[in-house]
Amino acid sequence: PERMAVPELAAWPAHLHIDLLPEWQGRGHGRRLMRTLLAALAERGVPAVHLVMTVANKPARAFYDRMGFEEIAGVPMDDSVVCLGRTTGGLDRL
């Protein structure tokens, strides 16, 4: 949607949303989904992806950190959420 077109995110043109039920977490499914998505984006020439997550979700933040995501500074959001991004390359490190 147009409301998602935030100029500060132009370098991360793809948007990611992923949720796994608790019983499926910690079993490698998230990593496989992430690798599949990043590979598909890279194949299509998409250079980077971003996501928005609640700051309170510490386990998710740890997962995204392991997946190579970094905080994107300067994105206008309230303090309850953080915007993270990463390039679609470097899948061999996942």
Side-chain angles (χ1 to χ4, degrees):
E2 289 300 316
R3 66 182 169 80
M4 296 301 295
V6 179
E8 293 84 356
L9 295 174
W12 300 269
H15 178 85
L16 163 67
H17 184 89
I18 183 174
D19 285 311
L20 290 176
L21 294 171
E23 61 267 20
W24 292 96
Q25 294 173 10
R27 297 167 60 184
H29 300 298
R31 182 177 300 272
R32 283 191 294 278
L33 285 168
M34 194 67 73
R35 286 181 61 88
T36 300
L37 172 70
L38 293 171
L41 291 172
E43 286 174 11
R44 289 161 180 80
V46 178
V49 61
H50 74 277
L51 61 91
V52 177
M53 62 162 289
T54 180
V55 174
N57 192 343
K58 304 291 185 199
R61 179 60 191 261
F63 170 75
Y64 293 127
D65 288 347
R66 288 190 305 274
M67 295 293 102
F69 282 81
E70 297 178 350
E71 194 164 334
I72 301 171
V75 180
M77 307 236 163
D78 69 62
D79 292 341
S80 68
V81 296
V82 63
C83 191
L84 305 175
R86 69 154 286 160
T87 65
T88 56
L91 297 179
D92 56 322
R93 295 186 304 266
L94 295 182

